[in-house]
Amino acid sequence: MDMQILTVSSKGQISLPVNIRKTLSIGTGDKLIVYTSGDVIMLKALKLPTVQEFEKSLDEAQRWAASVGYEEGDVNDIIKSVRKRGRE
C-alpha cells in the first residue's frame, strides 16, 4: 500500500502525487469517487469499461439470463419486484 501526505490548498484542492497517478493510470479529466466514514476519506478511480468490455459483460449477462429461462419481457417484472423489496 502506498501512502502519501497531501496538503489541502486554500481552495480545498489536493494534488495526487505523480507516482500514485501513474500506478493507477489516472490522467487529466479522469473521475474519482470519494467515500467518507467518520474522519476517513477514501478516493477510488472511476474507470468506465471499454466498448469491448461492455459488450463482453452484456453477452455474459444475456447467456446467464437465457440459461435460467429469463426472456426480455421478464425484465420489467424483475425490476418491479426488486424495487418493491427495497421499500419493505
Side-chain angles (χ1 to χ4, degrees), residues 41-54:
I41 299 171
M42 182 173 70
L43 298 174
K44 181 175 184 340
L46 177 61
K47 297 292 182 183
L48 297 176
T50 64
V51 171
Q52 293 82 9
E53 291 167 335
F54 180 79

Side-chain angles (χ1 to χ4, degrees), residues 7-8 12 24 29 38-39 43 46-47 52 58 65 68-70 86 88:
T7 302
V8 179
L24 298 176
D39 65 348
L43 298 174
L46 177 61
K47 297 292 182 183
Q52 293 82 9
L58 183 59
V68 296
Y70 287 139
E88 295 174 350

Side-chain angles (χ1 to χ4, degrees), residues 1-72:
M1 175 191 260
D2 195 3
M3 184 188 77
Q4 301 279 329
I5 295 176
L6 307 177
T7 302
V8 179
S9 76
S10 61
K11 294 182 179 182
Q13 299 170 327
I14 59 170
S15 293
L16 297 176
V18 68
N19 61 321
I20 291 176
R21 292 193 317 263
K22 284 183 179 178
T23 299
L24 298 176
S25 300
I26 296 172
T28 302
D30 285 351
K31 305 291 183 192
L32 301 175
I33 299 172
V34 179
Y35 298 94
T36 61
S37 178
D39 65 348
V40 174
I41 299 171
M42 182 173 70
L43 298 174
K44 181 175 184 340
L46 177 61
K47 297 292 182 183
L48 297 176
T50 64
V51 171
Q52 293 82 9
E53 291 167 335
F54 180 79
E55 288 174 345
K56 181 181 175 191
S57 294
L58 183 59
D59 289 343
E60 290 172 6
Q62 288 174 331
R63 279 194 298 278
W64 173 82
S67 76
V68 296
Y70 287 139
E71 296 179 2
E72 189 173 340

